[in-house]
Amino acid sequence: TERKSIYESLRDSGTGATLVPNQQTNVCPLNVESLESPTAVRGLDTTWIVENTSSKTAVVAWIVDGVEWSPFNPDIKAVDDPQARVR
């Protein structure tokens, strides 16, 4: 599986979990590389805390093949899922 492959590459690198990004601040707008890209940095499962300091609503999405899906309800597009909106 991909998860096993990621784990083994981290373990075999000798630096282990230090390669797993666990904190990151993104400020929009920002050019974000898709995790589907072969050059994207991938780690193990993470937890995100999202704060929206804009006066407009932000949408949290999981992008698969260019489609923005809700991370909370994977069968719903993010824009249609009230849970994916951060005010």
Side-chain angles (χ1 to χ4, degrees), residues 1-22 34-46 62:
T1 66
E2 183 179 24
R3 183 178 173 81
K4 182 178 178 184
S5 170
I6 292 169
Y7 169 77
E8 288 174 350
S9 68
L10 291 170
R11 185 192 63 210
D12 295 343
S13 71
T15 53
T18 61
L19 294 177
V20 179
N22 64 357
S34 169
L35 289 176
E36 296 172 332
S37 169
T39 59
V41 175
R42 297 179 185 197
L44 298 177
D45 298 340
T46 59
W62 178 262

Side-chain angles (χ1 to χ4, degrees), residues 22-86:
N22 64 357
Q23 288 187 9
Q24 181 173 355
T25 300
N26 286 330
V27 179
C28 293
L30 180 69
N31 293 331
V32 178
E33 183 178 14
S34 169
L35 289 176
E36 296 172 332
S37 169
T39 59
V41 175
R42 297 179 185 197
L44 298 177
D45 298 340
T46 59
T47 300
W48 289 55
I49 298 172
V50 178
E51 177 185 19
N52 180 13
T53 58
S54 170
S55 60
K56 298 185 179 189
T57 301
V59 176
V60 178
W62 178 262
I63 301 174
V64 179
D65 296 326
V67 179
E68 298 176 353
W69 297 102
S70 167
F72 305 100
N73 299 292
D75 297 332
I76 301 174
K77 289 189 177 179
V79 72
D80 297 328
D81 185 0
Q83 283 186 289
R85 297 183 191 143
V86 181

